[in-house]
């Protein structure tokens, strides 16, 4: 039995463990203060939103972060920015439940679409994504702004 809902102040340690796992998977360095800043942004719930998945015994086993942004040709869109599930519970529907929760929020808000990105090599996640969403063929490029 998994419960899905907004992250709470008491989830800080569990959230950081999962967030660090997510960043490690994508080989992305984040300083300690970056986790602190993100946690406060998630709790503020004004720009970025955080959702968790808990087991029946209260252990946080999955997280997702999402935000809404303007789209030039449609209503606002929802970007599911981060999604990570503890390896011990993968394959049990946690990621799908997190995605469906965010989709419900996006529908309620009237967003035109929900989308996310992942790396090509992330075959485990892509197997789920291919079941719940449509791959649109786009590739992402990042232009380096810092010089």
């Amino acid at each position: 039995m998994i419960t899905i809902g907004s992250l709470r102040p008491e989830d800080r340690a569990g959230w950081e463990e999962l967030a660090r796992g997510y960043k490690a998977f994508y080989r992305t360095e984040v300083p300690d203060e970056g986790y602190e800043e993100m946690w406060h942004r998630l709790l503020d719930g004004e720009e970025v939103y955080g959702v968790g998945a808990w087991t029946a015994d209260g252990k946080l086993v999955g997280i997702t972060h999402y935000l809404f942004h303007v789209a030039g040709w449609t209503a606002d869109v929802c970007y599911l920015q981060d999604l990570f599930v503890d390896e011990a519970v993968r394959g049990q529907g946690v990621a799908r439940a997190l995605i469906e929760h965010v989709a419900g929020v996006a529908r309620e808000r009237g967003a035109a679409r929900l989308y996310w990105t992942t790396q090509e090599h992330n075959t485990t996640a892509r197997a789920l994504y291919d079941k719940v969403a449509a791959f649109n063929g786009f590739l992402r490029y990042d232009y380096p702004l810092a010089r």
Side-chain angles (χ1 to χ4, degrees):
M1 174 84 179
I2 296 292
T3 302
I4 305 294
S6 296
L7 291 169
R8 311 160 303 194
E10 61 268 26
D11 297 319
R12 175 69 169 86
W15 168 83
E16 185 168 331
E17 181 179 338
L18 293 167
R20 286 184 182 275
Y22 174 81
K23 290 299 189 181
F25 177 82
Y26 283 109
R27 297 182 184 112
T28 304
E29 295 287 327
V30 175
D32 291 341
E33 57 270 10
Y35 290 97
E36 189 67 25
E37 288 174 24
M38 180 59 154
W39 180 248
H40 288 291
R41 291 176 75 198
L42 292 169
L43 288 186
D44 288 346
E46 294 179 16
E47 298 173 331
V48 182
Y49 305 91
V51 175
W54 295 266
T55 59
D57 65 355
K59 181 175 176 15
L60 184 63
V61 294
I63 57 170
T64 190
H65 308 140
Y66 65 97
L67 54 94
F68 292 92
H69 66 86
V70 173
W73 299 95
T74 65
D76 287 353
V77 297
C78 182
Y79 175 51
L80 194 152
Q81 186 171 24
D82 307 321
L83 175 65
F84 192 76
V85 173
D86 185 321
E87 284 186 49
V89 298
R90 288 185 188 162
Q92 298 178 30
V94 175
R96 182 187 293 255
L98 288 165
I99 291 168
E100 290 299 329
H101 181 89
V102 174
V105 173
R107 280 187 202 100
E108 287 177 18
R109 184 167 162 147
R113 67 186 157 96
L114 165 63
Y115 74 102
W116 58 88
T117 62
T118 194
Q119 289 185 333
E120 191 173 8
H121 69 79
N122 192 357
T123 56
T124 302
R126 290 183 66 200
L128 169 64
Y129 301 161
D130 287 341
K131 292 175 186 170
V132 300
F135 174 64
N136 64 14
F138 276 83
L139 301 173
R140 184 183 118 178
Y141 293 87
D142 294 328
Y143 184 89
L145 296 176
R147 296 194 184 236

